[in-house]
Amino acid sequence: MAQQVLPFYLVCDESSSMSGVPVQAINDSLPKLHTEIGSNPVVADKTKFCLIGFNHQAQVLLPLSDLSSVSSIPGLHADGGTDYSSAFDLLYTTIASDVAQLKANGDQVYRPAVFFLSDGQPGDDWSGAYQRLTDPSWPLHPNILAFGFGSVHAATLQQVATVRAYITDGSMGPDAALREFATSLIQSIVNS
């Protein structure tokens, strides 16, 4: 049966600099985010969730799935450096493939949403792949909310976000950022 679907991508930098508190806080928060979104039946019926880890390999940890069918969420592991170019290319091709499959099923697809968590620095090379991902001429270019950790460079984070950028300053941790994102996601779907 055809339905309206919001593809929701949670994308996290898994570089070694994210090890310890940042990645552990995200891993602790992901099940809560899943429960919070899934507890609203209107939202759960419309949202499909995908988890992508950005490390030196850049990999889809959880393919786009119905929230009701996700029994557990894979943990993130901070290891090695991040190849942002291949990571953004992976996000681009994953969104394109997922939306093509959804449309083949007859579903109507909302503009994809991406929640991007990173400690990115000015020297990180993501410009080319990122420009392709966010090119307005690409009908699937996603709405991106970015949240930065540690020594993240503010200007770098703001370049990534198409909606809003947060930087952790002690007043908001990843759990609060994830909850706020879930709330805004729920409101946007309920009001649509």
Side-chain angles (χ1 to χ4, degrees):
M1 179 178 172
Q3 58 182 341
Q4 290 181 304
V5 176
L6 173 70
F8 164 36
Y9 297 85
L10 195 143
V11 179
C12 187
D13 186 343
E14 290 186 299
S15 64
S16 56
S17 55
M18 291 281 285
S19 62
V21 173
V23 165
Q24 188 56 50
I26 296 166
N27 285 337
D28 291 344
S29 301
L30 285 175
K32 297 174 188 173
L33 176 70
H34 171 244
T35 300
E36 186 164 347
I37 296 175
S39 65
N40 185 311
V42 173
V43 177
D45 286 346
K46 292 185 177 181
T47 305
K48 291 186 183 290
F49 176 72
C50 175
L51 177 64
I52 294 178
F54 274 20
N55 58 16
H56 54 284
Q57 296 174 328
Q59 56 188 331
V60 176
L61 300 173
L62 177 69
L64 197 70
S65 308
D66 292 320
L67 284 171
S68 59
S69 69
V70 178
S71 57
S72 63
I73 298 177
L76 298 156
H77 301 282
D79 59 344
T82 299
D83 179 352
Y84 284 97
S85 181
S86 64
F88 278 115
D89 278 339
L90 173 67
L91 182 56
Y92 180 96
T93 57
T94 301
I95 289 174
S97 174
D98 288 344
V99 172
Q101 182 60 49
L102 291 170
K103 289 186 174 181
N105 293 338
D107 295 325
Q108 294 183 333
V109 183
Y110 290 101
R111 186 172 164 191
V114 173
F115 188 41
F116 179 82
L117 303 107
S118 177
D119 64 350
Q121 299 296 304
D124 292 334
D125 179 22
W126 56 29
S127 56
Y130 176 75
Q131 286 172 0
R132 184 169 77 125
L133 178 73
T134 57
D135 186 339
S137 67
W138 186 44
L140 306 179
H141 67 280
N143 290 310
I144 302 173
L145 187 147
F147 185 75
F149 294 101
S151 60
V152 65
H153 191 260
T156 302
L157 195 69
Q158 288 160 355
Q159 287 172 356
V160 175
T162 63
V163 178
R164 187 172 175 189
Y166 296 93
I167 297 179
T168 183
D169 58 2
S171 64
M172 178 183 286
D175 54 341
L178 287 164
R179 279 199 310 275
E180 184 164 328
F181 184 68
T183 300
S184 64
L185 188 68
I186 289 168
Q187 289 173 343
S188 67
I189 292 177
V190 169
N191 294 334
S192 65

